[in-house]
Amino acid sequence: MRNLSILDQQEFIELRKYKGKISISTLSKILDEIQENIEHGTTLKSAIIFAYANSIDEITKNKDLFTIISTIIEKYSPKLGIENINELILNTLS
């Protein structure tokens, strides 16, 4: 059985379709806010909701992208850490 990289997972394959379609600085701010919320004791799901609510215009314009990002964060950050997942997301879209 082949050991696949996290970047070979379906969510990251989908994420790559959005490369160049969103401002990396805007995305970075949203991901930083999620990370800050988690570091202050907010649950993962709530941290995502709060950050998305504060950037509702950007989220609404890119609903499918942010759905994939939420899925990635919820699925992989408990194992790899939110900071590492944020870096993977940003690097995938850069």
Side-chain angles (χ1 to χ4, degrees), residues 11 14-15 18 21-34 45 47-49 51-74 86 89-90 93:
E11 296 88 359
E14 290 294 317
L15 184 64
Y18 293 93
K21 296 182 180 176
I22 187 167
S23 161
I24 296 300
S25 63
T26 301
L27 178 58
S28 182
K29 288 176 190 173
I30 294 168
L31 294 175
D32 286 346
E33 186 175 348
I34 293 169
K45 188 79 163 175
I48 293 168
I49 291 168
Y52 282 14
N54 289 333
S55 301
I56 195 70
D57 290 338
E58 192 66 36
I59 304 305
T60 303
K61 285 192 291 187
N62 297 291
K63 186 179 184 306
D64 292 339
L65 169 62
F66 283 100
T67 299
I68 293 167
I69 289 172
S70 298
T71 300
I72 289 170
I73 291 171
E74 290 180 59
N86 286 353
I89 291 169
L90 291 171
L93 292 173

Side-chain angles (χ1 to χ4, degrees), residues 1 13-14 17 20 38 49 58 82-84 88-89 91:
M1 186 169 156
I13 293 169
E14 290 294 317
K17 294 177 184 176
I38 290 169
I49 291 168
E58 192 66 36
I82 186 68
E83 187 175 337
N84 293 327
L88 284 173
I89 291 169
N91 289 337

